[in-house]
Amino acid sequence: MAQVVTNPDREHNSSSPHLPQKSPKMNQSFPVLALTVWSFLSLASFHLTAQESSGWKPGKVPLMTRWGKEVTPENAWTEYPRPQLVRQSWKNLNGLWELSIVDKGSEKPAAFPLQILVPFGVESSLSGVTQTVLPSQELWYRRTFELESNAAELNTLLHFGAVDWEATVWVNGKHAGTHRGGSTPFTLDVTPHLNPEGKQEVVLKVWDPSDEGAQPRGKQQLRPEGIWYTPVSGIWQTVWLEQVPKTYIRNVVPSADIDQSKLMVQCDVQAAQAGDKLHITVSLDGTEVAKAISDVGPTIPLTIASPKLWTPDTPALYAISVRLTRGDKTVDTVGSYSAMRKISFGPDSHGTLRLLLNNKPLFQYGPLDQGWWPDGLLTPPSDEAMRYDLEVLKSLGMNMLRKHIKVETSRLYFHCDQLGLLVWQDMPSSMQKGRKHFVQPNQADDAEYTAEEKQQFRVELKEMIDHLRFFPCIVVWVPFNEGWGQHDTNDILAWVKKYDPSRLVNGPSGWTDRGFGDMKDMHNYPGPGMFPVMKERVSVLGEFGGLGYPIAGHLWKENDNWGYRTYRSQAELDQNYLQLMQRLYPLIGEGLAAAVYTQTTDVEIEVNGLMTYDREIVKIKPEQFEKWHQRLVGPTPSLKKLIGDARHAETEWKYVTEGPGNGWEKVSFADEQWKKGKGGFGTPDTPGTVVKTRWDSPDIWLRGEWNLELKPDTECYLSIHHDEDAEIYINGVLAAKVNGYTTDYVLVPISAEAQAALVKGKNVIAIHCHQTGGGQYIDVGFTTASTP
């Protein structure tokens, strides 16, 4: 195969028999995929011009990562960008490009006065431009490259990883193509536009309407605030060249059927001829396990004897080599990989619907992963930096992440495949400023879009699925987040399910559910909480937590930052995060199938990350919380209701609404004169309540007796619905203190001291609840949890 030689960038031409691997600095404790296909992580050589070594420098921003500080025009994203389909020869066009920012509708500029470091968006520090681009402006990029003299024997493909949003490309002054969509890759066959020899010119025009348009944009906003971040315009993923034969393998899509021990391989061949053959070899750990020869076209089944299943603990990956032949001649060869894994949902041994991995229940726990960086914005400063985030999640004992309204470079999903991280993949949301695109919780109507806007959303949704369906780590599609641009809800969810029946479809994540989708998804801050168990859908907690802890010296903004709850010390954060884990665990016993904590890192003014925005401090320490997370994803706890709350039982309490005096919580306190009533106590209009005794004053004190046949030797929880602050005592010992209000019953662990105070027989329960405004309610039951 002829090699692409370009100027002024660098060439890659390695024949090392391995799939693209992690950088040498990566943590070697995680499994690395070593397959009989090519690797191109190391640079073969450099071809630099004086311009490339000239005065580029990062723009000034409040925060940089340690990886961002090491970025240069020579080392910007040098890794092979397409690990799912690997060829031996490729050319990286990342590096310095010429740039001009002009008024929208202007002719091609005569001069390109700026330099930009590709693949970083114009607004980012690492681009070297660090300038907001308005919808009234357009970006014009330019660079040159050269080809060898025998290039005419091959087709030359120009690949763009992602360009936000509308990109028009010219090669040597000839229009090569236009792509609309800010998150997915596109490829142009530029062969007809190449000069016979010498220098070749690429010019790219980009327009990005940002939040003034109705296109999918995720969390970008021209005026960042709250949970909306700095916009990103232009090229933001790798640009590269590839030369291929006139007939070549365009795509390989493997899919596993673990129930039949089959690996199905579908190959898309460009310009195939009658008689062409595909030779497929599958290997595991360097040992051949299956092979087949087939005509081009049909899906090719291969039997995998005693398959090694992919799980978060054992992320086994099978190497796939595909060779295209014509007669006795090899026309094209590519390397790929796959995994034997199945995602589904079904009943556990008790009949409760669970998420199943390889036909076995597995609770999924991990973070909402925004994928934003202070120096690169949507673009991580390096592949090593991107993988670092994933390795931190693994060190924390998590087994999944929800990739939040952003589509990443293929290499992120490759790393997840290697490391054993399940992925819920969001579709970037679309909301145009000033339009009815924001669907409020429980709103009857969906968002209003024009037919053209709806079509564009579906085009980009399909492109995302086509791009990512290869990766085994992806187990859930999330077409809508909350009410952000939620339109034609059930039609779109049903289309996704039909288009990719091998995965689950969440619908929608949070807020306004329309009754469709494999999962019903609650958002509850700080939570946790869950929807009741259903017969046809799985109950999941798509967002909760969001505990904030600002750490000076590691902030995008020193003041006015926020979390859903914000704490001022590590000890406060640890205590409250531990409480979330303690409350989450018994919900698994009630039927919760997954939970997503907000979020992986701080982002701009949000300080609710597991890590700081610069990734310098891991706030939720692995040595402290890995065991708690591993407990979540371990055996399902068994719950036993010892004392029913108002939903399940008639419980009599004594109560007063005026201060009862000191010692009211003690076992010996005289309460003979108190009124009697049935729990729960409150006002009927309070959400999620079962009011049996009206209480509408600021305070209430309750006393009751719980008779236990045995003293519990397992974990004990209060089943409590409180609105608002409440303190609960057992036999005179403080069992729990809760603040604020809930909108449903939650399980709160009792203190170790209160558990020690429990006795066989009569136990005295004393409660004080204080109300300040709005609805009000208090009710308490008693539940134990044990692990098989």
Side-chain angles (χ1 to χ4, degrees):
M1 179 183 291
Q3 177 183 329
V4 180
V5 177
T6 70
N7 190 16
D9 212 323
R10 56 266 189 199
E11 68 184 74
H12 297 239
N13 187 20
S14 167
S15 57
S16 174
H18 301 288
L19 192 72
Q21 297 179 13
K22 56 190 174 186
S23 302
K25 293 182 181 179
M26 291 301 174
N27 185 339
Q28 297 297 319
S29 65
F30 293 108
V32 179
L33 184 60
L35 307 179
T36 312
V37 288
W38 294 284
S39 171
F40 311 101
L41 280 182
S42 59
L43 298 180
S45 61
F46 292 87
H47 293 274
L48 303 177
T49 64
Q51 181 193 42
E52 184 113 1
S53 300
S54 67
W56 171 88
K57 64 179 181 180
K60 187 176 181 181
V61 290
L63 213 57
M64 294 280 286
T65 66
R66 58 185 180 271
W67 303 278
K69 294 173 184 177
E70 297 176 353
V71 169
T72 68
E74 294 79 17
N75 68 15
W77 278 93
T78 60
E79 292 80 11
Y80 189 78
R82 192 185 57 198
Q84 67 270 38
L85 186 72
V86 180
R87 279 197 179 84
Q88 187 176 10
S89 188
W90 69 293
K91 169 64 180 126
N92 194 335
L93 294 186
N94 291 341
L96 290 177
W97 289 49
E98 299 172 27
L99 178 73
S100 182
I101 304 175
V102 301
D103 290 339
K104 187 175 186 293
S106 300
E107 296 295 322
K108 174 186 173 182
F112 293 74
L114 303 174
Q115 281 188 330
I116 183 168
L117 180 55
V118 169
F120 298 102
V122 174
E123 294 87 348
S124 72
S125 167
L126 293 176
S127 72
V129 180
T130 321
Q131 177 178 329
T132 298
V133 180
L134 301 176
S136 59
Q137 297 174 311
E138 289 172 332
L139 304 171
W140 286 80
Y141 293 78
R142 179 185 179 275
R143 72 156 296 153
T144 60
F145 61 92
E146 293 183 0
L147 298 174
E148 284 189 343
S149 57
N150 63 347
E153 303 170 10
L154 304 167
N155 281 10
T156 300
L157 307 180
L158 177 59
H159 301 282
F160 291 86
V163 182
D164 197 352
W165 177 73
E166 181 182 79
T168 305
V169 182
W170 292 265
V171 174
N172 298 321
K174 302 169 187 174
H175 179 251
T178 297
H179 179 262
R180 303 176 81 203
S183 298
T184 50
F186 61 97
T187 297
L188 302 172
D189 187 337
V190 298
T191 309
H193 311 307
L194 297 175
N195 295 326
E197 59 183 18
K199 188 174 292 187
Q200 317 285 337
E201 180 193 60
V202 177
V203 172
L204 178 73
K205 180 180 74 171
V206 182
W207 174 61
D208 179 12
S210 193
D211 57 315
E212 293 186 5
Q215 82 292 346
R217 61 178 169 89
K219 284 201 162 187
Q220 303 178 55
Q221 186 166 289
L222 286 168
R223 295 185 177 181
E225 59 181 350
I227 62 172
W228 307 101
Y229 312 143
T230 302
V232 176
S233 302
I235 299 169
W236 66 275
Q237 288 186 25
T238 291
V239 185
W240 56 295
L241 283 168
E242 180 180 35
Q243 290 196 303
V244 297
K246 299 301 181 182
T247 298
Y248 66 95
I249 301 165
R250 187 161 56 183
N251 201 11
V252 174
V253 182
S255 58
D257 182 348
I258 69 167
D259 298 321
Q260 301 297 322
S261 297
K262 298 285 187 182
L263 183 65
M264 318 297 291
V265 180
Q266 177 66 49
C267 298
D268 179 11
V269 177
Q270 175 74 15
Q273 296 183 12
D276 288 353
K277 299 290 184 181
L278 289 165
H279 304 250
I280 298 178
T281 303
V282 180
S283 304
L284 178 66
D285 299 329
T287 300
E288 182 181 298
V289 297
K291 62 181 179 181
I293 302 175
S294 172
D295 294 333
V296 174
T299 298
I300 304 166
L302 297 101
T303 299
I304 309 297
S306 302
K308 189 174 182 180
L309 302 183
W310 185 97
T311 73
D313 293 330
T314 58
L317 297 177
Y318 286 80
I320 302 175
S321 174
V322 182
R323 186 165 61 94
L324 175 66
T325 62
R326 181 170 295 157
D328 59 358
K329 179 183 177 183
T330 296
V331 177
D332 192 18
T333 303
V334 297
S336 187
Y337 71 93
S338 190
M340 297 298 288
R341 77 102 183 93
K342 175 184 177 182
I343 186 69
S344 60
F345 71 91
D348 64 12
S349 59
H350 300 289
T352 301
L353 285 188
R354 302 282 182 184
L355 297 178
L356 307 180
L357 181 66
N358 303 329
N359 298 322
K360 296 179 181 179
L362 177 66
F363 187 81
Q364 297 183 22
Y365 180 68
L368 194 72
D369 192 88
Q370 309 273 9
W372 283 75
W373 299 80
D375 36 26
L377 300 178
L378 281 181
T379 311
S382 69
D383 184 70
E384 181 181 347
M386 182 174 69
R387 182 170 171 124
Y388 172 80
D389 279 5
L390 306 177
E391 291 184 336
V392 168
L393 302 185
K394 288 294 288 187
S395 73
L396 279 164
M398 298 176 172
N399 64 6
M400 64 84 74
L401 62 89
R402 179 182 163 204
K403 177 47 65 177
H404 193 38
I405 53 178
K406 178 194 177 187
V407 179
E408 292 280 4
T409 170
S410 294
R411 292 192 63 86
L412 177 128
Y413 306 98
F414 168 58
H415 291 318
C416 289
D417 286 340
Q418 283 188 306
L419 295 172
L421 280 167
L422 300 160
V423 176
W424 297 11
Q425 178 62 51
D426 286 16
M427 172 66 185
S429 56
S430 63
M431 287 191 296
Q432 185 173 1
K433 185 170 61 177
R435 301 268 303 276
K436 293 181 179 179
H437 287 172
F438 188 85
V439 178
Q440 297 287 348
N442 302 315
Q443 180 177 314
D445 299 325
D446 277 358
E448 298 176 1
Y449 284 82
T450 67
E452 182 182 1
E453 291 164 348
K454 290 180 179 182
Q455 178 62 23
Q456 183 61 34
F457 181 88
R458 294 197 184 213
V459 166
E460 295 190 45
L461 175 62
K462 181 178 181 296
E463 285 186 0
M464 180 188 76
I465 296 173
D466 289 342
H467 169 42
L468 298 180
R469 71 190 310 162
F470 169 91
F471 296 100
C473 62
I474 298 177
V475 293
V476 175
W477 299 118
V478 187
F480 296 112
N481 176 71
E482 296 179 341
W484 303 357
Q486 183 178 328
H487 66 280
D488 294 349
T489 304
N490 287 355
D491 287 346
I492 287 175
L493 299 181
W495 177 85
V496 173
K497 188 65 179 178
K498 182 178 180 180
Y499 191 61
D500 184 9
S502 70
R503 291 178 170 90
L504 303 181
V505 177
N506 194 5
S509 184
W511 292 15
T512 304
D513 188 84
R514 303 296 192 203
F516 191 85
D518 297 315
M519 301 128 83
K520 186 172 182 179
D521 186 328
M522 174 182 284
H523 289 187
N524 189 330
Y525 287 104
M530 64 176 286
F531 290 113
V533 170
M534 295 156 279
K535 293 182 179 180
E536 304 294 337
R537 303 173 72 193
V538 182
S539 180
V540 300
L541 179 60
E543 292 182 26
F544 83 108
L547 304 185
Y549 174 37
I551 300 178
H554 302 276
L555 298 171
W556 185 257
K557 188 177 181 181
E558 291 294 331
N559 299 307
D560 300 324
N561 44 57
W562 73 280
Y564 288 92
R565 299 285 191 277
T566 300
Y567 305 101
R568 297 299 170 184
S569 72
Q570 183 70 52
E572 276 190 310
L573 177 66
D574 290 347
Q575 178 185 6
N576 284 275
Y577 186 82
L578 176 59
Q579 288 179 357
L580 287 183
M581 296 303 100
Q582 290 173 327
R583 296 181 183 186
L584 180 61
Y585 181 66
L587 294 182
I588 303 171
E590 292 196 338
L592 185 67
V596 179
Y597 178 83
T598 301
Q599 57 194 2
T600 302
T601 71
D602 297 348
V603 182
E604 299 199 351
I605 71 168
E606 293 184 52
V607 292
N608 47 12
L610 301 168
M611 293 182 278
T612 54
Y613 197 18
D614 58 6
R615 277 71 169 176
E616 286 301 307
I617 297 178
V618 179
K619 294 189 277 186
I620 301 300
K621 311 295 184 188
E623 60 271 21
Q624 186 171 355
F625 289 103
E626 179 191 13
K627 61 183 179 183
W628 287 96
H629 300 151
Q630 285 292 294
R631 190 180 191 217
L632 298 177
V633 303
T636 302
S638 178
L639 302 185
K640 184 177 182 180
K641 291 181 173 64
L642 298 185
I643 305 295
D645 54 50
R647 296 172 299 175
H648 311 109
E650 294 281 334
T651 305
E652 186 172 274
W653 295 84
K654 295 179 179 180
Y655 71 98
V656 293
T657 55
E658 299 291 338
N662 294 335
W664 63 272
E665 75 282 7
K666 302 296 184 185
V667 173
S668 59
F669 185 79
D671 57 13
E672 291 82 0
Q673 302 303 312
W674 288 28
K675 298 177 183 178
K676 294 181 180 180
K678 301 286 186 181
F681 294 78
T683 54
D685 57 344
T686 305
T689 60
V690 183
V691 175
K692 297 180 180 178
T693 302
R694 185 173 184 85
W695 161 54
D696 55 12
S697 62
D699 291 273
I700 191 169
W701 287 261
L702 305 172
R703 285 173 60 87
E705 293 181 2
W706 289 348
N707 286 294
L708 304 178
E709 294 182 0
L710 295 171
K711 178 175 178 176
D713 58 2
T714 58
E715 294 175 77
C716 299
Y717 293 83
L718 301 173
S719 173
I720 184 171
H721 189 329
H722 61 95
D723 188 348
E724 298 169 11
D725 302 346
E727 50 186 336
I728 303 95
Y729 294 83
I730 297 176
N731 295 331
V733 177
L734 183 64
K737 194 171 185 177
V738 290
N739 296 318
Y741 65 90
T742 60
T743 57
D744 206 341
Y745 285 81
V746 297
L747 291 173
V748 175
I750 69 172
S751 66
E753 294 81 5
Q755 180 141 353
L758 287 167
V759 296
K760 177 182 177 181
K762 185 179 76 172
N763 293 266
V764 175
I765 314 304
I767 304 168
H768 172 223
C769 186
H770 175 68
Q771 157 68 14
T772 61
Q776 58 191 92
Y777 186 71
I778 184 67
D779 184 43
V780 175
F782 190 58
T783 296
T784 60
S786 58
T787 303

